[in-house]
């Protein structure tokens, strides 16, 4: 007998639960499927939200050959073999065979390079699935040939719909009577993951399979799972909770707590590259101009992790964590770019002042491009006052120095050049 999660796998879009922003009526993926033409794309989202299922449904509805590779077990040779086979099955006026690659973020650069030609020439339509940000994990040439669609964790209503459907339609469970008294624990432990929900239901069912009525309540669910509060699930909700605690400990200048959460992630098997990336973000967002060396160290840590791996990689991660946690903090750069982007959205495409524009042609010179521009290096101190903002934003300040030694020094220099901020 197949596991419950496999028995309940949807076969059509109408059976598919969640991701209505992609597969709802009139939405992008449904429109492509109904048109019979699908473009190469990457499905990015947490585990158990239907990435593999969606790829299978697409292949079934388009009635096209479907090949699947796992990035964990497949090499360049496997990729080329599938592409060669797919090229022999391509006929005029027929959709390209679909190549589905699960965990595409685990493919090396050479493996991803081997896909480029086939994707570009339409030999295959690539559908990749990943739990990691494709911007970091997928090479740029391949990413430029694929759309990225973000899948979200299933919401409460989606999970309850799946629960009801499972209890009433599954060939095994529908033969039993269920008394659903509480669902809080079931939903909490599922963490938006359909597969986890179904696995928990199966555990509860098996624990009471001799009873006439199967009871589902918070106590029974917790007992069946024997939930260990120290457990770390790198693919589940606790993954996000612990990385959040880690970053907040760094931001809060508590090196001991930060090291503890780092140890939790290391012991739980977290991807070291994931941790290193978050340290780079923290160095920019939370330490920033208060200690610019933090970003240099975080980048060096990331590079070192890529070179040495585990177990020695824990040492530069610990060094960087402690350095960031003990550094002075500033989010002035983070706030400045957010404020500037808000201004761009509010004011639209304001004109570049004429004196700041390049004038590579005589016509541009005649129109006043570049006229009046003052070259800073021609002046004492390599500075001269002139307007750099669009006319509509003259005097607007986005960067505001915060109260730390490094930024106060920068603030004093800016006030000497430009005068005090209003």
């Amino acid at each position: 007998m197949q596991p419950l999660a496999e028995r309940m796998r949807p076969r059509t879009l109408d059976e598919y639960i969640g991701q209505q922003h992609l597969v709802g009526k009139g939405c992008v993926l449904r429109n492509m499927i109904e048109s019979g033409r699908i473009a190469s794309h990457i499905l990015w989202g947490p585990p158990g939200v239907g990435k593999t299922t969606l790829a299978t449904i697409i292949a079934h509805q388009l009635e096209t050959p479907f090949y699947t590779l796992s990035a964990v077990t497949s090499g360049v040779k496997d990729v080329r073999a599938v592409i060669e086979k797919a090229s022999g099955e391509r006929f005029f006026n027929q959709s390209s065979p679909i190549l589905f690659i699960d965990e595409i973020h685990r493919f090396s650069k050479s493996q991803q390079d081997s896909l480029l030609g086939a994707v570009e020439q339409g030999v295959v339509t690539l559908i990749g699935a990943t739990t990691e940000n494709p911007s970091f994990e997928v090479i740029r040439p391949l990413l430029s040939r694929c759309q990225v669609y973000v899948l979200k964790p299933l919401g409460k209503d989606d999970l309850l719909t799946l629960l009801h459907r499972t209890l009433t339609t599954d060939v095994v469970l529908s033969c039993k009577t269920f008394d659903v008294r509480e669902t809080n624990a079931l939903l909490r432990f599922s963490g938006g993951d359909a597969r986890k929900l179904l696995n928990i239901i199966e555990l509860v069912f098996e624990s009471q399979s001799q009873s006439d009525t199967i009871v589902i309540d918070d106590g029974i669910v917790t007992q069946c799972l024997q939930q260990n509060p120290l457990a770390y699930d790198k693919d589940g909700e606790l993954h996000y909770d612990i990385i959040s605690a880690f970053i907040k400990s760094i931001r809060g200048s508590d090196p001991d707590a930060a090291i503890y959460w780092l140890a939790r992630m290391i012991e739980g098997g977290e991807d070291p590259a994931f941790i290193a990336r978050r340290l780079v973000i923290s160095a920019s967002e939370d330490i920033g101009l208060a200690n610019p060396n933090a970003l240099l160290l975080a980048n060096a840590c990331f590079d070192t992790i890529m070179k040495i791996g585990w177990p020695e990689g824990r040492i530069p991660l610990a060094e960087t964590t402690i350095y960031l946690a003990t550094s002075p903090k500033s989010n002035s750069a983070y706030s400045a770019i957010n404020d500037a982007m808000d201004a761009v959205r509010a004011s639209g495409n304001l004109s570049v002042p004429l004196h700041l524009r390049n004038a590579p042609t005589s016509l541009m010179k005649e129109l006043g491009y570049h006229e009046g521009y003052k070259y800073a290096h021609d002046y004492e101190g390599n500075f001269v006052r002139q307007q750099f903002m669009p006319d509509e934003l003259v005097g607007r300040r986005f960067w505001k120095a915060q109260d730390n030694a490094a930024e106060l020094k920068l603030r004093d220099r800016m006030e000497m050049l430009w005068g005090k901020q209003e």
Side-chain angles (χ1 to χ4, degrees), residues 403-420:
D403 190 15
N404 59 76
E407 286 188 86
L408 291 177
K409 185 176 181 180
L410 296 176
R411 184 201 65 186
D412 291 344
R413 171 171 165 72
M414 290 299 100
E415 288 185 353
M416 180 188 71
L417 297 176
W418 293 99
K420 286 187 176 293

Side-chain angles (χ1 to χ4, degrees), residues 250 277-289 291-299 320 324 330:
I250 293 174
R277 280 198 300 272
R278 296 308 298 258
L279 288 171
V280 172
I281 295 168
S282 177
S284 300
E285 179 179 344
D286 296 316
I287 288 86
L289 291 168
N291 181 8
N293 286 333
L295 183 57
L296 299 178
L297 183 63
N299 269 302
T320 306
L324 267 55
S330 171

Side-chain angles (χ1 to χ4, degrees), residues 167 172-173 175-182 186 199-225:
L167 301 185
V172 177
L173 273 59
C175 298
K176 283 283 190 177
T177 300
F178 279 82
D179 180 9
V180 181
R181 298 175 184 174
E182 297 172 309
L186 184 63
N199 289 342
I200 295 170
I201 294 171
E202 195 164 34
L203 280 174
V204 172
F205 170 74
E206 290 172 353
S207 71
Q208 304 176 60
S209 58
Q210 302 305 314
S211 303
D212 294 331
T213 299
I214 309 296
V215 176
I216 296 179
D217 64 24
D218 293 349
I220 289 172
V221 168
T222 303
Q223 182 181 0
C224 287
L225 287 175

Side-chain angles (χ1 to χ4, degrees), residues 263-276:
R264 283 283 298 273
M265 290 188 285
I266 291 172
E267 285 296 306
E270 182 58 85
D271 179 3
F274 172 78
I275 304 172

Side-chain angles (χ1 to χ4, degrees), residues 8-38 41 43 49-62 127 151 154 158 161 165:
M8 290 303 299
R9 188 180 292 277
R11 302 294 189 268
T12 67
L13 279 182
D14 292 331
E15 294 177 0
Y16 190 81
I17 295 174
Q19 317 309 329
Q20 289 305 296
H21 63 294
L22 297 177
V23 300
K25 298 293 184 184
C27 293
V28 56
L29 276 179
R30 182 180 284 269
N31 287 345
M32 282 200 292
I33 294 167
E34 291 178 347
S35 73
R37 294 288 178 183
I38 195 87
H41 60 272
L43 302 172
V49 296
K51 299 186 291 294
T52 302
T53 296
L54 187 53
T56 306
I57 289 173
I58 290 171
H60 177 73
Q61 296 208 200
L62 267 58
I127 301 180
L151 280 71
L154 299 188
D158 293 329
T161 298
R165 181 181 296 177

